[in-house]
Amino acid sequence: MASLGRLREFAGRGVISILWVNVLLILAREFFGSEAIDWVPVLAAIAVAIPSTIAWYKDPVGPTTRLMAATANAASVALIVYSFRGSPLQIDAHMYFFASLAICATLIDWRAIMAYAALVACHHLFLYFIMPLAVFPTASDVSRVMLHAVVLIAQTLVLIPLTLALSKAFESADDAVRQAVAAQKQAENAALLIETATAEADAERQSREAEKSKEAAKIAAAVDVLGDALRQLSSGNLSYRINQALSDDLDELRMLYNSSMQGLEAVIAQANDVIAQINVGSRQINETNHDLSVRSERQAATIEETSGALSHLTDAVASTARLAHDVSATLQKATDGANRSGVVVNDAIEAMGKIAGSSSQIANIIGVIDEIAFQTNLLALNAGVEAARAGEAGKGFAVVATEVRELAQRSAQAAKEIKTLINASGDQVSSGVDLVNNAGNALEAIIAEITSIGNAVAQITTNTTDQASGLSAIDHAISGFGRDTQQNAAIVEESSAAMMSLATEAEALQQLMARFMIPSSRAAPQSTKAA
């Protein structure tokens, strides 16, 4: 059993024992502390203790047992407080609630602590309203109940984290013990395996030593035979074969050597044939490369002359393209100036139209002034008539009427003269508008002609530029072709030198191959081809 389980079993035994101690305390209180024995708290304490005791007997460390033991302790303490009803010690008996809660905390179960605190809280609140003397010796108030509740909650909040920490600590310790036991078992199993493996290794080592001694003798004999064969190979004798059979798997080395020598003999013979062909081919390629080098040099000189002539032609076309571009730019400037002149002419036409409109409006205003002068003259005439009727009293008014009449006549005369001038100005403005319109039409025709010329020159410029670009590309291509031809000539010369070197190396290789001895049946084709 784990250490946590053993601790809970021990604590459960103590908690169950305290239940029966509480029964004895209640019984003693009823016999010696009161005049008449009340069997209700005694029987109730016994009824509370019996189910918890039975549950503990069946499962000493079960969670149900812990909950029943904790709640039974709370109920038995409540019965003790009830049995002290009417006594001054009843309020002191409440301290047993906190001591009993601490004892129940030894069960290391936060659920048991919560159940104990919940039962005590319900006991205080319920009996405070139903039977307050069963809780407190005299009539109490809610502040005392709240004080007990605060103390109980504080103790519960302290005990629950402590219980959780202890539970986790015991679980960690149990895990560590289990891991240690498992590690010890693994170490013991590993020790047994090591002993068995050591014994097997000793037996296998002895067997291998015996086999090695046999193999060493076989290998020594095979090494002697292979040494003779390799000495023949180092002297260049490719026709030597190992005819003596070797023991066991070593005979495969003999067959591999014989087959290797046979293949090497065939390779050497073919190499001699190839060397002879390389000598003949290298001489032919050398002669061909010499002819190709001469022709490449001639072709390079011709291409260089063609490239020079084409460069002069390209420069001439490029100069023409630049001149055409300059002419196109000049025509563009002329077109822009003509366009700006057209804008000015349009603005002048618009201004002339505005002047004509203003003249018309002024003529209308002059007509209004003439009408006003006529009405003023008429009014002055009527005023003179009225002044004449008035006699001496109207003389001054008659003089004013006369002056007003003369002023009206002069205003009418001036309005007529202004109207005549405005009409003449309108005719002149109309004539100016016609002239400006004619100038605008002529300028538009000039702009159209200049634009057409500019388009033609732009087309010429584009074509000349394209021709210059094409000639430049052709010149560049011919120049590149000339460089490639010169490079080809250089490569041909290098290739000729390489072929000469190859022929020299082939002769040296043929001399090296001559030191190998092969049967005459294979050597005959080589000598024929070499000749």
Side-chain angles (χ1 to χ4, degrees), residues 443-483:
L443 189 58
E444 289 177 357
I446 293 171
I447 292 172
E449 295 297 331
I450 291 174
T451 302
S452 177
I453 295 171
N455 292 333
V457 172
Q459 185 65 34
I460 294 171
T461 302
T462 303
N463 294 335
T464 307
T465 303
D466 293 340
Q467 292 173 3
S469 300
L471 290 174
S472 178
I474 294 171
D475 185 20
H476 182 70
I478 291 176
S479 299
F481 185 59
R483 289 191 299 271

Side-chain angles (χ1 to χ4, degrees), residues 1 15 18 44 106 127 142 149 171 174 192 214 245 264 271 340 346 355 366 376 378 410 414 493 508 516:
M1 184 182 295
V15 171
I18 290 173
T106 59
L127 293 182
V142 73
E171 290 176 358
D174 292 341
L192 292 176
K214 295 179 181 179
L264 181 60
R340 288 194 295 271
N346 290 329
I355 293 171
I366 295 301
T376 303
L378 182 60
R410 286 197 300 271
E493 293 179 357
F516 291 104

Side-chain angles (χ1 to χ4, degrees), residues 222 243-256:
N243 297 322
Q244 180 184 355
L246 301 178
S247 59
D248 299 335
D249 296 337
L250 296 176
D251 192 58
E252 186 177 356
L253 293 175
R254 178 183 68 85
M255 292 186 290
L256 288 174

Side-chain angles (χ1 to χ4, degrees), residues 168-294:
K168 291 181 180 180
F170 276 108
E171 290 176 358
S172 300
D174 292 341
D175 292 338
V177 170
R178 285 194 295 270
Q179 292 176 1
V181 172
Q184 184 178 3
K185 290 182 180 179
Q186 291 178 357
E188 293 175 354
N189 295 332
L192 292 176
L193 292 175
I194 290 173
E195 291 178 359
T196 303
T198 303
E200 293 177 354
D202 291 338
E204 187 177 357
R205 185 176 61 258
Q206 294 175 358
S207 175
R208 286 181 180 178
E209 288 178 355
E211 292 178 358
K212 283 181 180 180
S213 61
K214 295 179 181 179
E215 292 293 333
K218 295 179 181 178
I219 291 172
V223 167
D224 293 337
V225 175
L226 290 175
D228 295 338
L230 291 175
R231 280 190 290 273
Q232 293 292 330
L233 177 61
S234 63
S235 64
N237 185 9
L238 300 180
S239 61
Y240 181 81
R241 301 290 184 271
I242 300 175
N243 297 322
Q244 180 184 355
L246 301 178
S247 59
D248 299 335
D249 296 337
L250 296 176
D251 192 58
E252 186 177 356
L253 293 175
R254 178 183 68 85
M255 292 186 290
L256 288 174
Y257 175 82
N258 291 336
S259 62
S260 299
M261 290 301 102
Q262 185 176 358
L264 181 60
E265 180 183 348
V267 170
I268 294 299
Q270 293 177 1
N272 287 328
D273 296 340
V274 171
I275 291 169
Q277 294 175 3
I278 290 173
N279 285 328
V280 176
S282 61
R283 293 190 186 93
Q284 293 177 354
I285 293 172
N286 190 20
E287 294 175 357
T288 303
N289 284 341
H290 179 69
D291 294 339
L292 180 60
S293 176
V294 173

Side-chain angles (χ1 to χ4, degrees), residues 322-332 457 461:
R322 286 193 295 270
L323 292 174
H325 185 269
D326 293 339
V327 172
S328 177
T330 304
L331 286 174
Q332 183 62 37
V457 172
T461 302

Side-chain angles (χ1 to χ4, degrees), residues 3-77:
S3 57
L4 180 59
R6 290 194 297 272
L7 178 60
R8 284 175 173 171
E9 183 179 6
F10 179 76
R13 187 181 297 111
V15 171
I16 296 299
S17 300
I18 290 173
L19 283 177
W20 293 104
V21 171
N22 292 340
V23 171
L24 295 177
L25 288 175
I26 295 171
L27 185 61
R29 167 62 184 170
E30 293 299 329
F31 271 99
F32 302 107
S34 60
E35 296 178 356
I37 299 176
D38 188 359
W39 291 100
V40 173
V42 176
L43 297 177
I46 295 172
V48 167
I50 290 175
S52 299
T53 305
I54 295 173
W56 176 81
Y57 182 76
K58 292 182 178 179
D59 187 7
V61 295
T64 305
T65 302
R66 295 194 295 271
L67 289 175
M68 291 180 65
T71 53
N73 263 276
S76 64
V77 174

Side-chain angles (χ1 to χ4, degrees), residues 292-366:
L292 180 60
S293 176
V294 173
R295 288 195 297 270
S296 297
E297 290 177 355
R298 294 174 183 173
Q299 186 179 5
T302 304
I303 290 172
E304 186 176 359
E305 294 175 358
T306 303
S307 177
L310 189 59
S311 296
H312 291 300
L313 179 60
T314 302
D315 292 338
V317 173
S319 178
T320 304
R322 286 193 295 270
L323 292 174
H325 185 269
D326 293 339
V327 172
S328 177
T330 304
L331 286 174
Q332 183 62 37
K333 291 179 180 178
T335 302
D336 294 339
N339 288 329
R340 288 194 295 271
S341 299
V343 173
V344 173
V345 170
N346 290 329
D347 292 340
I349 292 172
E350 185 177 356
M352 289 294 182
K354 291 180 179 179
I355 293 171
S358 298
S359 299
S360 177
Q361 292 177 0
I362 291 171
N364 294 331
I365 293 170
I366 295 301

Side-chain angles (χ1 to χ4, degrees), residues 514-529:
R515 64 187 295 269
F516 291 104
M517 292 179 291
I518 57 176
S520 58
S521 59
R522 292 185 179 273
Q526 175 210 351
S527 60
T528 303
K529 291 182 181 180

